[in-house]
């Protein structure tokens, strides 16, 4: 059994309880553990186990509490992705190079050897394998062939394909195959005779419930509403902004609008309640749609200038080296950020960071402070970087113009609702260093976070704390909460965070680098 040492500091826990509670800082980080470059570690549905690929072909399952190895298996070839079954008893490994999908039983090594030897392999020697995912029941596996020629539903009981195949699935990913949140239906986006349609199948009997034709030029993706009533489908980038909302039997709403760039929708996310739909476009706008009246509620614009006139309640934080203490050094840090961006320096400048204790009178009733702490409990300036609050107005780098590219580097790259539905976090690809946090209740910009490197990933903690975590390709993990913003650091100085994932129980966060990952724990593991 392999034991992983956990870094703890009781002094930090005792002296900074209020600050830690304000932003949900992981108090303990594990040592880094190996993982594959192309396959991200994944938590089990219960959050008790984490699976990762080591040395390209070896799947290692660890206990999250102790990080000791509980199961180990070797694949025939490097898997493209791992996926846990809904009940957490099995792991699916998709291996396109072998045209094979393998399913392994996850059993502790302390149990009988005969139990841990069960496995199943599904092979498509002629059509190949491009993507695979679990059915809601966990008894079947969906397998998409290469070139999206067909979608097959395989049974794990007898390795047969009893329910036939679906011809011409549009995508070999979650944008083309969607399971309803209540687990009762599966939607498949297909394209036949140059026309898009959504097929709805009932789970269990696997009978076709509806075949809804949609008026799109070339649908780019779909996503279920949280209440399983609707499916939002958006058109291709070159078709302009066009959204089609489908119910279980028909099209209930179609929306299109003018675009300044002539390009369409890039990402769509439902609010946790399902009462609002956030639509990110290539015009760097987020349009909020009321799903009761299907009318536009608000448009969130990612502007170049952030000031108190247009955003009276906004707070602005910039990342800088902790050793910079005087204003001249702080300006050098900001200038270094501007040099990394594509915008000319004369068009992008920042004011001096606020002096200690200086607060805006408009924000005196709801102050948020940069909490500058490292993971080992040391106080600045011993850490590498920290957040410093900026005075308004703030002028961001001008967006890069790239609408003539096939896949232009512009527009809203990612957006996620907080689990409570109060906030929306977004990033734009033409200004990748900046994270925007919007108050979806007040329909105002709440905070902007400016970093020294492009943001690689960000995730909300899956509970009611409204806490946002970000990584920017360094050993720092950036944390924002409604009352504070801070930076913490993974123990390994060579670690470079590229991806984040939370366990479903919201107790463990893993930050993943190219070949390693580290777990951050929000609760003490000490007995």
């Amino acid at each position: 059994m392999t034991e992983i040492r956990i870094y703890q500091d009781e002094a930090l826990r005792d002296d900074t309880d209020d600050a830690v509670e304000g932003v949900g800082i992981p108090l303990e980080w594990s040592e880094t553990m190996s993982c594959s470059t192309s396959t991200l570690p994944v938590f089990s549905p219960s959050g008790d186990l984490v699976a990762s690929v080591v040395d390209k072909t070896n799947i290692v399952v660890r206990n999250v509490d102790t990080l000791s190895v509980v199961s180990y298996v070797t694949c025939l070839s490097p898997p493209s992705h791992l996926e846990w079954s809904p009940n957490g008893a099995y792991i699916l490994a998709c291996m396109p190079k072998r045209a094979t999908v393998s399913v392994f039983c996850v059993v502790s090594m302390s149990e009988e050897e005969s139990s841990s030897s069960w496995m199943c392999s599904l092979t498509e020697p002629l059509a190949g394998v491009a993507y695979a995912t679990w059915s809601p029941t966990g008894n079947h596996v969906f397998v998409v062939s290469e070139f999206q020629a067909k979608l097959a539903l395989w049974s794990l009981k007898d390795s047969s394909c009893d329910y036939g195949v679906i011809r011409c699935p549009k995508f070999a990913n979650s944008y083309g195959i969607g399971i309803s949140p209540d687990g009762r239906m599966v939607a498949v986006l297909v394209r036949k005779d140059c026309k898009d349609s959504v097929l709805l199948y009932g789970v269990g009997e696997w009978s076709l419930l509806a075949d809804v034709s949609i008026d799109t030029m070339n649908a780019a993706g779909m996503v279920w509403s949280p209440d399983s009533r609707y499916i939002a489908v958006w058109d291709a980038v070159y078709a302009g902004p066009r959204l089609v909302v489908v119910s279980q039997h028909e099209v209930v709403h179609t929306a299109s609008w003018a675009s300044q760039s002539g390009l369409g929708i890039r990402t769509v996310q439902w609010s946790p309640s399902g009462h609002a739909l956030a639509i990110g476009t290539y015009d760097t706008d987020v349009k909020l749609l009321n799903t009761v009246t299907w009318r536009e509620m608000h448009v969130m614009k990612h502007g170049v200038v952030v000031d108190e006139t247009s955003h009276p309640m906004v707070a602005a934080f910039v990342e800088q080296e902790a050793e910079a203490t005087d204003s001249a050094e702080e300006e050098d840090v900001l200038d270094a950020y501007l040099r990394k961006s594509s915008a000319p320096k004369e068009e992008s400048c920042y004011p001096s960071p606020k002096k200690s204790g200086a607060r805006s009178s408009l924000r005196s009733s709801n102050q948020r402070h940069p909490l500058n702490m490292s993971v080992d409990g040391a106080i600045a300036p011993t850490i590498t970087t920290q957040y410093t609050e900026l005075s308004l107005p703030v002028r961001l780098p001008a967006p890069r113009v790239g609408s003539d590219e096939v896949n232009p580097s512009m527009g809203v790259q990612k957006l996620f609702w907080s689990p409570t539905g109060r906030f929306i976090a977004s990033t734009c690809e033409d200004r990748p260093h900046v994270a925007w946090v919007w108050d979806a209740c007040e329909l105002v910009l709440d905070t902007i976070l400016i970093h020294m490197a492009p943001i690689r990933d960000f995730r909300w903690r899956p509970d009611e704390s409204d806490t946002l975590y970000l990584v920017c390709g360094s050993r720092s993990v950036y944390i924002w909460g409604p009352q504070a913003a801070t930076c913490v650091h993974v123990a390994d100085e060579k670690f470079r965070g590229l991806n984040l994932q939370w366990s479903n129980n919201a107790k463990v966060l893993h930050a993943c680098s190219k070949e390693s990952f580290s777990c951050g724990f929000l609760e003490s593991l000490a007995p």
Side-chain angles (χ1 to χ4, degrees):
M1 307 291 280
T2 303
E3 296 289 341
I4 303 296
R5 183 161 57 96
I6 304 296
Y7 292 84
Q8 304 183 49
D9 192 277
E10 294 296 333
L12 173 61
R13 186 173 308 158
D14 295 338
D15 297 340
T16 61
D17 284 343
D18 294 338
V20 170
E21 183 178 356
V23 293
I25 300 174
L27 300 182
E28 303 159 357
W29 284 94
S30 70
E31 290 183 342
T32 54
M33 295 161 283
S34 298
C35 67
S36 173
T37 303
S38 58
T39 308
L40 297 177
V42 287
F43 285 107
S44 64
S46 64
D48 297 331
L49 301 172
V50 60
S52 61
V53 176
V54 180
D55 296 331
K56 296 183 179 181
T57 59
N58 300 318
I59 300 177
V60 177
V61 180
R62 299 179 184 272
N63 182 290
V64 168
D65 291 336
T66 62
L67 293 178
S68 58
V69 176
V70 299
S71 189
Y72 181 93
V73 69
T74 300
C75 299
L76 297 175
S77 68
S80 61
H81 74 277
L82 303 179
E83 185 177 333
W84 288 85
S85 63
N87 62 4
Y90 305 95
I91 290 180
L92 177 153
C94 182
M95 294 171 281
K97 291 184 178 180
R98 286 269 184 168
T100 301
V101 178
S102 292
V103 178
F104 304 98
C105 181
V106 181
V107 179
S108 174
M109 289 181 178
S110 62
E111 299 186 12
E112 296 181 2
E113 187 66 25
S114 59
S115 299
S116 60
S117 60
W118 186 93
M119 66 168 291
C120 175
S121 291
L122 310 174
T123 305
E124 289 275 11
L126 298 179
V129 172
Y131 176 73
T133 187
W134 287 98
S135 70
T137 62
N139 297 326
H140 299 81
V141 174
F142 291 102
V143 179
V144 181
S145 66
E146 291 183 349
F147 307 107
Q148 292 77 60
K150 67 176 183 177
L151 168 64
L153 179 63
W154 289 87
S155 171
L156 294 185
K157 295 181 179 180
D158 53 11
S159 298
S160 65
C161 186
D162 295 334
Y163 299 95
V165 298
I166 301 173
R167 300 294 179 184
C168 305
K170 194 169 179 65
F171 299 112
N173 54 37
S174 59
Y175 280 161
I177 305 173
I179 299 173
S180 63
D182 62 9
R184 299 174 60 184
M185 292 178 291
V186 174
V188 181
L189 189 61
V190 300
R191 186 172 181 84
K192 297 179 181 179
D193 300 326
C194 299
K195 294 182 179 180
D196 297 320
S197 60
V198 177
L199 305 182
L200 293 176
Y201 290 87
V203 174
E205 297 293 334
W206 301 110
S207 57
L208 180 64
L209 302 178
D211 183 349
V212 183
S213 178
I214 53 178
D215 184 18
T216 53
M217 185 180 296
N218 190 7
M222 66 177 181
V223 60
W224 278 94
S225 64
D227 57 6
S228 302
R229 293 181 60 191
Y230 304 113
I231 302 172
V233 184
W234 61 97
D235 216 336
V237 54
Y238 52 80
R242 184 172 181 81
L243 180 77
V244 179
V245 181
V246 178
S247 70
Q248 297 180 14
H249 303 288
E250 59 184 356
V251 174
V252 297
H253 179 71
T254 301
S256 60
W257 57 92
S259 170
Q260 183 177 359
S261 63
L263 303 178
I265 296 172
R266 182 157 187 179
T267 181
V268 174
Q269 292 288 332
W270 292 87
S271 67
S273 66
H275 294 159
L277 192 63
I279 306 168
T281 70
Y282 279 89
D283 284 343
T284 67
D285 295 338
V286 174
K287 184 185 292 289
L288 291 184
L289 193 68
N290 186 317
T291 59
V292 177
T293 63
W294 300 112
R295 294 182 179 178
E296 180 184 304
M297 296 168 52
H298 186 67
V299 177
M300 300 173 176
K301 296 184 177 293
H302 298 74
V304 175
V305 178
V306 178
D307 55 28
E308 294 180 351
T309 302
S310 56
H311 305 287
M313 298 299 292
V314 69
F317 295 98
V318 65
E319 180 193 8
Q320 65 174 37
E321 294 181 359
E323 290 75 12
T325 55
D326 57 52
S327 59
E329 290 174 333
E330 291 169 344
E331 287 291 349
D332 290 341
V333 174
L334 297 174
D335 290 341
Y337 162 72
L338 294 175
R339 286 195 296 272
K340 292 181 181 179
S341 68
S342 62
K345 182 176 178 181
E346 59 271 19
E347 296 181 5
S348 305
C349 58
Y350 295 104
S352 300
K354 288 186 177 181
K355 298 296 183 180
S356 177
R359 301 294 307 177
S360 169
S361 59
L362 292 176
R363 303 189 56 79
S364 59
S365 61
N366 187 25
Q367 294 184 355
R368 281 168 289 180
H369 303 273
L371 304 177
N372 301 318
M373 294 180 289
S374 69
V375 69
D376 58 4
I379 306 301
T382 60
I383 64 174
T384 305
T385 60
Q386 66 182 28
Y387 277 132
T388 298
E389 189 173 6
L390 295 176
S391 300
L392 299 181
V394 175
R395 180 177 294 274
L396 300 172
R400 297 192 297 263
V401 178
S403 60
D404 56 340
E405 302 174 3
V406 175
N407 295 306
S409 300
M410 58 188 294
V412 179
Q413 184 177 22
K414 291 182 180 180
L415 67 90
F416 296 111
W417 291 81
S418 66
T420 63
R422 180 185 172 187
F423 296 103
I424 299 175
S426 61
T427 57
C428 292
E429 192 169 4
D430 44 20
R431 278 162 284 177
H433 300 69
V434 184
W436 309 68
V437 181
W438 308 83
D439 190 322
C441 297
E442 301 294 334
L443 300 179
V444 296
L445 178 62
D446 187 274
T447 305
I448 59 171
L449 303 171
I450 307 169
H451 303 87
M452 301 171 69
I455 299 169
R456 298 303 186 96
D457 197 11
F458 61 95
R459 302 288 172 181
W460 291 99
R461 182 183 173 189
D463 59 11
E464 297 182 355
S465 64
D466 286 327
T467 308
L468 182 68
Y469 292 72
L470 312 92
V471 287
C472 299
S474 66
R475 63 185 288 251
S476 299
V477 177
Y478 308 90
I479 308 173
W480 175 90
Q483 301 297 329
T486 187
C487 310
V488 297
H489 308 284
V490 176
D492 187 355
E493 293 185 357
K494 297 181 180 180
F495 184 85
R496 299 294 180 263
L498 301 177
N499 300 94
L500 294 173
Q501 185 187 7
W502 275 100
S503 61
N504 289 338
N505 57 17
K507 292 183 179 180
V508 184
L509 166 74
H510 79 56
C512 189
S513 183
K514 284 186 176 181
E515 298 180 348
S516 63
F517 72 100
S518 179
C519 291
F521 299 85
L522 290 170
E523 295 181 359
S524 174
L525 301 182

